[in-house]
Amino acid sequence: MIKVIILITTYNLEKYIGQCLDSVLNQKTKFDYKILVGDDASTDGTIEILRKYQKKYPSKIELVLRGKNIGSLANSLELYEKCNAEYFAFLDGDDFWLTDGRLQKQVDFLEGNR
């Protein structure tokens, strides 16, 4: 079972999405995690970048690509509805994690403070 799903929302973030995904994919964990990306009908190169990452990491990355823009809140809510893991982490597509132990540290804290 997947312990953590990382939810990432994107819209026209071609300049940032690669660094965002790399920061998640570089996480060192003792558990399985999945990345769920919801793109809100980007019109730049974001979708092409997402597809390249998904092709390279098909077991880690799932894409939700929208045909029309539904807005940031609706995009986020639909991703939350798809969460079927014990925990989830949220990351905007123009953000990134600075350390490769961040996700493990978060889960360790949650597990130790139930």
Side-chain angles (χ1 to χ4, degrees):
M1 169 156 186
I2 301 292
K3 184 167 261 326
V4 180
I5 293 181
I6 297 94
L7 305 174
I8 301 175
T9 55
T10 63
Y11 177 71
N12 288 346
L13 295 175
E14 71 178 331
K15 292 180 183 178
Y16 311 103
I17 191 60
Q19 185 177 18
C20 174
L21 290 171
D22 287 339
S23 77
V24 175
L25 291 164
N26 288 331
Q27 293 297 300
K28 293 178 177 30
T29 65
K30 299 174 189 170
F31 52 83
D32 290 329
Y33 66 90
K34 186 174 181 178
I35 303 166
L36 181 60
V37 183
D39 183 79
D40 201 15
S42 289
T43 58
D44 63 358
T46 302
I47 293 171
E48 291 77 21
I49 294 167
L50 291 174
R51 286 188 173 131
K52 285 179 187 175
Y53 272 86
Q54 185 188 36
K55 185 175 182 179
K56 188 171 181 180
Y57 303 98
S59 64
K60 278 275 194 225
I61 299 175
E62 179 181 338
L63 302 179
V64 178
L65 304 176
R66 312 218 187 279
K68 71 174 205 169
N69 188 283
I70 62 172
S72 178
L73 181 58
N75 188 19
S76 296
L77 289 175
E78 284 191 23
L79 289 182
Y80 286 125
E81 289 174 3
K82 293 181 178 292
C83 275
N84 58 353
E86 190 172 351
Y87 301 114
F88 70 89
F90 185 79
L91 185 63
D92 286 319
D94 59 352
D95 293 334
F96 60 94
W97 291 337
L98 295 173
T99 65
D100 62 6
R102 182 191 190 283
L103 194 56
Q104 183 66 55
K105 187 175 182 179
Q106 270 187 307
V107 169
D108 289 346
F109 176 83
L110 291 169
E111 296 281 314
N113 293 283
R114 287 183 175 222

